Amino acid sequence: MPAAPSAAAPDSNPDVVLVVDFGAQYAQLIARRVREARVYSEIVPSSMPVAEMLAKNPKAIILSGGPSSVYAEGAPRLDRAIFEAGVPVFGMCYGFQLMATTLGGTVDDNGAREYGRTPLTVSKLGSTLFEGTPAEQSVWMSHGDACSAAPEGFTVTASTDVVPVAAFENDEKKLYGVQYHPEVLHSTHGQQILEHFLYRGAGIEPTWTTHNVVEEQVALIREQVGTKRAICGLSGGVDSAVAAALVQKAIGSQLTCVYVDHGLMRKGETEQVEKDFVAATGVQLKVVDAQERFLTALAGVSDPETKRKIIGREFIRVFEQAQLEILQEEGPEVAFLVQGTLYPDVVESGGGTGTANIKSHHNVGGLPDDIEFELVEPLRKLFKDEVRMVGQELGLPEEIVQRQPFPGPGLGIRIVGEVTKERLDLLREADAIAREELTAAGLDREIWQCPVVLLADVRSVGVQGDGRTYGHPIVLRPVSSEDAMTADWTRMPYDVLAKISTRITNEVADVNRVVLDVTSKPPGTIEWE
């Protein structure tokens, strides 16, 4: 699975499957499922000209679902040339209907609405897509329009009680489509259907592995950096640790890791970075004490976007100062900044798919315009679980690779309100208690992430020691997820929740209430800010 380079790295021209996003809620999931089949995939917006898509030399193209009706005014379209270029194409839901109408089939609103689990009848069991699957299978539908006639040259391979054309295939032109969503787990044979398209329809070999990622990125990094030096902002999290280990493998002593002690870390994590990561990798580490600088910059600021941008700006300013010091101490020029940017960071910041900006990430939308470094982002096209696999391939210890995600802006975005030293100290203690109890209960792997949030600008009345209190609420936000693009709240045992709540309210001054966030993503993001 050769990974794609960062925006700043040379183009490696990997064997790529393009997922064309028509506004689907499942576009990210399609890309993940393709990668799970050990084939590299990238998402591109449907607004991208077909000529640009084809210029990427894709091995195959998948057309996602979407909320539009194919015959509605303003609905997304695709140039017919995409179906005539000789590149295998697989349409799903809206993509299926778009393929049908573009090539002369019929899609209309005949009242054949299907949502959720739907029985599918396969009429061509030996077809390219359905070989080896049962004649009756459950699939996940989500459509109001239906295809009543396939384009000329296509064979209808499946139907439902209300939709006569629920799947079709044209082996000669390597064009395939299904009305349903094979990428979701509710489609019982969905992954098998997708792999049949990739392996049988498109003739792609499943060769995308973490070993390939490491080999290719090492080559790309060496080509990009050359003989110059790079610095990496080490936060102690999985992403920056894996990025640093990968770059160190590529350029060795040309890399210096800079750990900025900005005062926004959780309890004990600064010591863990200084000790555990250096011991595991042997990397050169420069620690910069910038706590006062960050607190001064954040004073009086409550807006979350402003906080993120301030933290991103101050990181870069500290790195620039570190660059000068490294140059004076060691030379030659430090020209590159290594970041652990991931694909979800890019997507949520409005990059990659033409989507809206949900929130700026400290290393995507939060960087200042006058940055003097060229970025090295070897993880930019990877999901979190893929990053963990790369870390394992590089030999990083489990304590680092399996660590729960922690945002680069740290506790600064887990305080709803102004960031002060007193509030940071309070949140650090509450967070430490929650982590201790989750570990003691053996829930570290079950829970993807558990942000502990301080509602600093909110106070509520309580009673402690027979007296009235007016303290802050603490929010527990345990979530389960595969890649942070979607998430659901984790159903933790009540006794664990009770123990966390009791300890926090007993041991942390000025906290008299602990609440549980039971919101999924969407509609809520994992972090509160």
Side-chain angles (χ1 to χ4, degrees), residues 478-500:
V479 296
S480 301
S481 179
E482 280 189 310
D483 51 37
M485 296 306 303
T486 60
D488 194 12
W489 67 280
T490 305
R491 275 64 169 174
M492 288 173 53
Y494 288 156
D495 60 332
V496 178
L497 286 170
K499 194 166 186 179
I500 293 173

Side-chain angles (χ1 to χ4, degrees), residues 255-422:
L255 172 69
T256 299
C257 287
V258 177
Y259 173 70
V260 178
D261 186 1
H262 48 27
L264 306 176
M265 295 296 283
R266 297 186 291 191
K267 189 174 182 179
E269 288 188 320
T270 295
E271 295 77 13
Q272 183 187 52
V273 170
E274 292 186 79
K275 175 184 159 189
D276 294 349
F277 185 75
V278 174
T281 63
V283 74
Q284 299 180 69
L285 180 65
K286 181 180 182 67
V287 178
V288 180
D289 185 352
Q291 296 184 53
E292 191 61 39
R293 175 177 186 148
F294 277 80
L295 284 173
T296 299
L298 290 168
V301 178
S302 296
D303 178 71
E305 275 292 281
T306 305
K307 285 196 285 189
R308 284 177 176 271
K309 290 182 182 299
I310 287 172
I311 293 168
R313 181 195 70 209
E314 294 304 314
F315 259 109
I316 295 302
R317 297 292 89 96
V318 172
F319 286 141
E320 288 171 343
Q321 180 59 40
Q323 175 195 29
L324 294 175
E325 294 175 6
I326 294 169
L327 179 60
Q328 292 170 356
E329 296 167 5
E330 305 173 35
E333 176 190 2
V334 178
F336 297 90
L337 172 61
V338 179
Q339 293 200 133
T341 310
L342 304 192
Y343 203 13
D345 299 341
V346 177
V347 173
E348 284 198 339
S349 297
T353 64
T355 55
N357 184 348
I358 298 172
K359 59 185 178 184
S360 296
H361 285 259
H362 64 286
N363 51 0
V364 183
L367 297 178
D369 294 333
D370 60 346
I371 181 173
E372 296 181 2
F373 301 108
E374 183 177 340
L375 298 181
V376 179
E377 298 178 305
L379 311 178
R380 188 180 176 89
K381 293 292 186 178
L382 300 183
F383 292 96
K384 177 72 77 173
D385 57 329
E386 295 168 334
V387 172
R388 293 192 199 278
M389 289 188 287
V390 170
Q392 290 171 334
E393 177 74 22
L394 291 166
L396 291 178
E398 287 289 297
E399 310 86 76
I400 293 176
V401 173
Q402 296 301 333
R403 186 179 175 218
Q404 288 187 2
F406 186 62
L411 298 179
I413 58 166
R414 291 186 178 175
I415 294 175
V416 179
E418 182 185 2
V419 178
T420 67
K421 185 179 185 305
E422 293 71 27

Side-chain angles (χ1 to χ4, degrees), residues 30 62-65 90-96 178 180 182-183 194:
I30 297 171
I62 296 176
L63 310 180
S64 83
F90 186 17
M92 301 176 178
C93 196
Y94 181 86
F96 165 76
V178 296
Y180 60 94
E183 70 273 24
L194 177 59

